Amino acid sequence: MNDSVRWMCAWPLALLAACGGDSDSATPAPSGGAGARGAGGGSAGAGGGVAAGAAGAAGSAPACKGVQVGKGASCSEEMFCKYGEAAFLKVNDLIIAKATASGIEANIGDTFTKLTPEKAAVFKANLGTFLINAYGGDKAAYKYQGSDMKTAHAGLGITQAQYSAFVSMVIVPALTEAGVAGDDITNCFAPPITSDAFMKDIVTK
């Protein structure tokens, strides 16, 4: 584990204290597909977010098909079933707001603040389905239509410091404000996005 990730794992309240060792067990980026479709039956076009259908209790919604909570799935794969669609939509909105806030580019670069409204809408829709897929959502109900991580970040020149700042200044606060428990942030949300296998396709400089 490199020094930047060690620093990130020592963030206040130990929210990322259990980022783990040098695990390569990142949740794979979802493959491309048709337009995103939510559990409630709505769809997300290029300019919209993930559909806002209700997700219900763990295991009861279409979003949870294929994830057997407590039956061998990692806790990362249980998060969508545990918190539901509404919480993930809120996290998605908070990530977008924080990543595009004035002044944040000094820490995470200007990739997000340079987005046109049209590209920002596409990014929001793709990010929502990516998060749902990565944390246990049913990929048949929520079809990711964005690029894989390597393609999406090619040529952006993202540094380890910028990625670490994105996690600590954008993702962790977004999860916290959305009501995600600290233990879940540490043990379930952090490992997939702080593993070397995931970061190697994003950090290119």
Side-chain angles (χ1 to χ4, degrees), residues 56-77:
S60 65
C64 295
K65 287 192 301 185
V67 176
Q68 298 182 51
V69 178
K71 300 291 185 180
S74 72
C75 69
S76 295
E77 295 171 310

PDB file of all heavy atoms in Angstrom, residues 56-77:
ATOM      1  N   GLY A  56     -37.059  -0.924  -1.123  1.00  0.00           N
ATOM      2  CA  GLY A  56     -37.544  -1.885  -0.139  1.00  0.00           C
ATOM      3  C   GLY A  56     -36.477  -2.423   0.784  1.00  0.00           C
ATOM      4  O   GLY A  56     -35.334  -1.996   0.771  1.00  0.00           O
ATOM      5  N   ALA A  57     -36.837  -3.396   1.598  1.00  0.00           N
ATOM      6  CA  ALA A  57     -35.918  -3.972   2.567  1.00  0.00           C
ATOM      7  C   ALA A  57     -34.956  -4.921   1.884  1.00  0.00           C
ATOM      8  O   ALA A  57     -35.161  -5.331   0.752  1.00  0.00           O
ATOM      9  CB  ALA A  57     -36.722  -4.713   3.633  1.00  0.00           C
ATOM     10  N   ALA A  58     -33.892  -5.277   2.606  1.00  0.00           N
ATOM     11  CA  ALA A  58     -32.860  -6.146   2.048  1.00  0.00           C
ATOM     12  C   ALA A  58     -33.476  -7.423   1.482  1.00  0.00           C
ATOM     13  O   ALA A  58     -34.224  -8.112   2.145  1.00  0.00           O
ATOM     14  CB  ALA A  58     -31.845  -6.484   3.125  1.00  0.00           C
ATOM     15  N   GLY A  59     -33.127  -7.698   0.223  1.00  0.00           N
ATOM     16  CA  GLY A  59     -33.564  -8.931  -0.405  1.00  0.00           C
ATOM     17  C   GLY A  59     -34.959  -8.888  -0.999  1.00  0.00           C
ATOM     18  O   GLY A  59     -35.361  -9.821  -1.683  1.00  0.00           O
ATOM     19  N   SER A  60     -35.719  -7.811  -0.787  1.00  0.00           N
ATOM     20  CA  SER A  60     -37.101  -7.795  -1.244  1.00  0.00           C
ATOM     21  C   SER A  60     -37.301  -7.058  -2.557  1.00  0.00           C
ATOM     22  O   SER A  60     -38.347  -7.161  -3.160  1.00  0.00           O
ATOM     23  CB  SER A  60     -37.997  -7.143  -0.177  1.00  0.00           C
ATOM     24  OG  SER A  60     -37.659  -5.776  -0.023  1.00  0.00           O
ATOM     25  N   ALA A  61     -36.291  -6.309  -2.987  1.00  0.00           N
ATOM     26  CA  ALA A  61     -36.436  -5.528  -4.207  1.00  0.00           C
ATOM     27  C   ALA A  61     -35.696  -6.190  -5.364  1.00  0.00           C
ATOM     28  O   ALA A  61     -34.762  -6.944  -5.146  1.00  0.00           O
ATOM     29  CB  ALA A  61     -35.885  -4.119  -3.981  1.00  0.00           C
ATOM     30  N   PRO A  62     -36.099  -5.922  -6.609  1.00  0.00           N
ATOM     31  CA  PRO A  62     -35.366  -6.459  -7.755  1.00  0.00           C
ATOM     32  C   PRO A  62     -33.884  -6.105  -7.692  1.00  0.00           C
ATOM     33  O   PRO A  62     -33.053  -6.835  -8.196  1.00  0.00           O
ATOM     34  CB  PRO A  62     -36.048  -5.777  -8.947  1.00  0.00           C
ATOM     35  CG  PRO A  62     -37.426  -5.480  -8.473  1.00  0.00           C
ATOM     36  CD  PRO A  62     -37.270  -5.144  -7.015  1.00  0.00           C
ATOM     37  N   ALA A  63     -33.563  -4.957  -7.058  1.00  0.00           N
ATOM     38  CA  ALA A  63     -32.180  -4.514  -6.970  1.00  0.00           C
ATOM     39  C   ALA A  63     -31.307  -5.501  -6.231  1.00  0.00           C
ATOM     40  O   ALA A  63     -30.098  -5.506  -6.384  1.00  0.00           O
ATOM     41  CB  ALA A  63     -32.125  -3.167  -6.253  1.00  0.00           C
ATOM     42  N   CYS A  64     -31.906  -6.343  -5.407  1.00  0.00           N
ATOM     43  CA  CYS A  64     -31.116  -7.249  -4.581  1.00  0.00           C
ATOM     44  C   CYS A  64     -31.026  -8.653  -5.144  1.00  0.00           C
ATOM     45  O   CYS A  64     -30.426  -9.524  -4.529  1.00  0.00           O
ATOM     46  CB  CYS A  64     -31.706  -7.302  -3.167  1.00  0.00           C
ATOM     47  SG  CYS A  64     -31.585  -5.728  -2.299  1.00  0.00           S
ATOM     48  N   LYS A  65     -31.609  -8.899  -6.293  1.00  0.00           N
ATOM     49  CA  LYS A  65     -31.525 -10.227  -6.883  1.00  0.00           C
ATOM     50  C   LYS A  65     -30.072 -10.579  -7.174  1.00  0.00           C
ATOM     51  O   LYS A  65     -29.301  -9.771  -7.664  1.00  0.00           O
ATOM     52  CB  LYS A  65     -32.329 -10.293  -8.179  1.00  0.00           C
ATOM     53  CG  LYS A  65     -33.833 -10.297  -7.965  1.00  0.00           C
ATOM     54  CD  LYS A  65     -34.584 -10.661  -9.237  1.00  0.00           C
ATOM     55  CE  LYS A  65     -34.300  -9.727 -10.372  1.00  0.00           C
ATOM     56  NZ  LYS A  65     -35.110 -10.015 -11.567  1.00  0.00           N
ATOM     57  N   GLY A  66     -29.692 -11.799  -6.830  1.00  0.00           N
ATOM     58  CA  GLY A  66     -28.336 -12.250  -7.120  1.00  0.00           C
ATOM     59  C   GLY A  66     -27.365 -11.986  -5.997  1.00  0.00           C
ATOM     60  O   GLY A  66     -26.238 -12.457  -6.027  1.00  0.00           O
ATOM     61  N   VAL A  67     -27.751 -11.244  -4.976  1.00  0.00           N
ATOM     62  CA  VAL A  67     -26.883 -10.989  -3.829  1.00  0.00           C
ATOM     63  C   VAL A  67     -27.510 -11.647  -2.616  1.00  0.00           C
ATOM     64  O   VAL A  67     -28.579 -11.250  -2.170  1.00  0.00           O
ATOM     65  CB  VAL A  67     -26.693  -9.479  -3.563  1.00  0.00           C
ATOM     66  CG1 VAL A  67     -25.867  -9.272  -2.300  1.00  0.00           C
ATOM     67  CG2 VAL A  67     -26.025  -8.813  -4.750  1.00  0.00           C
ATOM     68  N   GLN A  68     -26.873 -12.651  -2.100  1.00  0.00           N
ATOM     69  CA  GLN A  68     -27.398 -13.346  -0.940  1.00  0.00           C
ATOM     70  C   GLN A  68     -26.711 -12.806   0.312  1.00  0.00           C
ATOM     71  O   GLN A  68     -25.592 -13.180   0.627  1.00  0.00           O
ATOM     72  CB  GLN A  68     -27.163 -14.854  -1.060  1.00  0.00           C
ATOM     73  CG  GLN A  68     -27.857 -15.475  -2.257  1.00  0.00           C
ATOM     74  CD  GLN A  68     -27.652 -16.969  -2.325  1.00  0.00           C
ATOM     75  OE1 GLN A  68     -27.879 -17.670  -1.352  1.00  0.00           O
ATOM     76  NE2 GLN A  68     -27.209 -17.462  -3.473  1.00  0.00           N
ATOM     77  N   VAL A  69     -27.366 -11.894   0.987  1.00  0.00           N
ATOM     78  CA  VAL A  69     -26.782 -11.260   2.159  1.00  0.00           C
ATOM     79  C   VAL A  69     -26.445 -12.321   3.189  1.00  0.00           C
ATOM     80  O   VAL A  69     -27.276 -13.139   3.560  1.00  0.00           O
ATOM     81  CB  VAL A  69     -27.753 -10.226   2.753  1.00  0.00           C
ATOM     82  CG1 VAL A  69     -27.159  -9.597   4.002  1.00  0.00           C
ATOM     83  CG2 VAL A  69     -28.072  -9.153   1.721  1.00  0.00           C
ATOM     84  N   GLY A  70     -25.196 -12.311   3.653  1.00  0.00           N
ATOM     85  CA  GLY A  70     -24.766 -13.255   4.658  1.00  0.00           C
ATOM     86  C   GLY A  70     -24.502 -14.647   4.120  1.00  0.00           C
ATOM     87  O   GLY A  70     -24.238 -15.570   4.873  1.00  0.00           O
ATOM     88  N   LYS A  71     -24.549 -14.823   2.802  1.00  0.00           N
ATOM     89  CA  LYS A  71     -24.343 -16.133   2.189  1.00  0.00           C
ATOM     90  C   LYS A  71     -23.082 -16.129   1.323  1.00  0.00           C
ATOM     91  O   LYS A  71     -23.072 -16.610   0.196  1.00  0.00           O
ATOM     92  CB  LYS A  71     -25.554 -16.528   1.334  1.00  0.00           C
ATOM     93  CG  LYS A  71     -26.867 -16.615   2.094  1.00  0.00           C
ATOM     94  CD  LYS A  71     -26.874 -17.791   3.066  1.00  0.00           C
ATOM     95  CE  LYS A  71     -28.250 -17.917   3.719  1.00  0.00           C
ATOM     96  NZ  LYS A  71     -28.282 -19.042   4.674  1.00  0.00           N
ATOM     97  N   GLY A  72     -22.032 -15.560   1.835  1.00  0.00           N
ATOM     98  CA  GLY A  72     -20.771 -15.566   1.104  1.00  0.00           C
ATOM     99  C   GLY A  72     -20.455 -14.269   0.382  1.00  0.00           C
ATOM    100  O   GLY A  72     -19.329 -14.057  -0.054  1.00  0.00           O
ATOM    101  N   ALA A  73     -21.430 -13.401   0.232  1.00  0.00           N
ATOM    102  CA  ALA A  73     -21.170 -12.111  -0.412  1.00  0.00           C
ATOM    103  C   ALA A  73     -20.376 -11.238   0.547  1.00  0.00           C
ATOM    104  O   ALA A  73     -20.582 -11.283   1.756  1.00  0.00           O
ATOM    105  CB  ALA A  73     -22.481 -11.430  -0.775  1.00  0.00           C
ATOM    106  N   SER A  74     -19.441 -10.448   0.023  1.00  0.00           N
ATOM    107  CA  SER A  74     -18.707  -9.531   0.880  1.00  0.00           C
ATOM    108  C   SER A  74     -19.655  -8.443   1.335  1.00  0.00           C
ATOM    109  O   SER A  74     -20.704  -8.216   0.727  1.00  0.00           O
ATOM    110  CB  SER A  74     -17.538  -8.907   0.117  1.00  0.00           C
ATOM    111  OG  SER A  74     -18.023  -7.974  -0.833  1.00  0.00           O
ATOM    112  N   CYS A  75     -19.292  -7.735   2.402  1.00  0.00           N
ATOM    113  CA  CYS A  75     -20.194  -6.675   2.864  1.00  0.00           C
ATOM    114  C   CYS A  75     -20.302  -5.567   1.826  1.00  0.00           C
ATOM    115  O   CYS A  75     -21.313  -4.864   1.772  1.00  0.00           O
ATOM    116  CB  CYS A  75     -19.768  -6.134   4.228  1.00  0.00           C
ATOM    117  SG  CYS A  75     -18.233  -5.177   4.247  1.00  0.00           S
ATOM    118  N   SER A  76     -19.291  -5.409   0.975  1.00  0.00           N
ATOM    119  CA  SER A  76     -19.388  -4.404  -0.090  1.00  0.00           C
ATOM    120  C   SER A  76     -20.570  -4.723  -0.993  1.00  0.00           C
ATOM    121  O   SER A  76     -21.315  -3.834  -1.411  1.00  0.00           O
ATOM    122  CB  SER A  76     -18.097  -4.372  -0.922  1.00  0.00           C
ATOM    123  OG  SER A  76     -17.000  -3.948  -0.150  1.00  0.00           O
ATOM    124  N   GLU A  77     -20.757  -6.005  -1.283  1.00  0.00           N
ATOM    125  CA  GLU A  77     -21.842  -6.419  -2.166  1.00  0.00           C
ATOM    126  C   GLU A  77     -23.203  -6.359  -1.500  1.00  0.00           C
ATOM    127  O   GLU A  77     -24.233  -6.507  -2.160  1.00  0.00           O
ATOM    128  CB  GLU A  77     -21.575  -7.847  -2.661  1.00  0.00           C
ATOM    129  CG  GLU A  77     -20.344  -7.955  -3.537  1.00  0.00           C
ATOM    130  CD  GLU A  77     -19.999  -9.407  -3.827  1.00  0.00           C
ATOM    131  OE1 GLU A  77     -19.921 -10.210  -2.882  1.00  0.00           O
ATOM    132  OE2 GLU A  77     -19.802  -9.723  -5.003  1.00  0.00           O
TER     133      GLU A  77
END
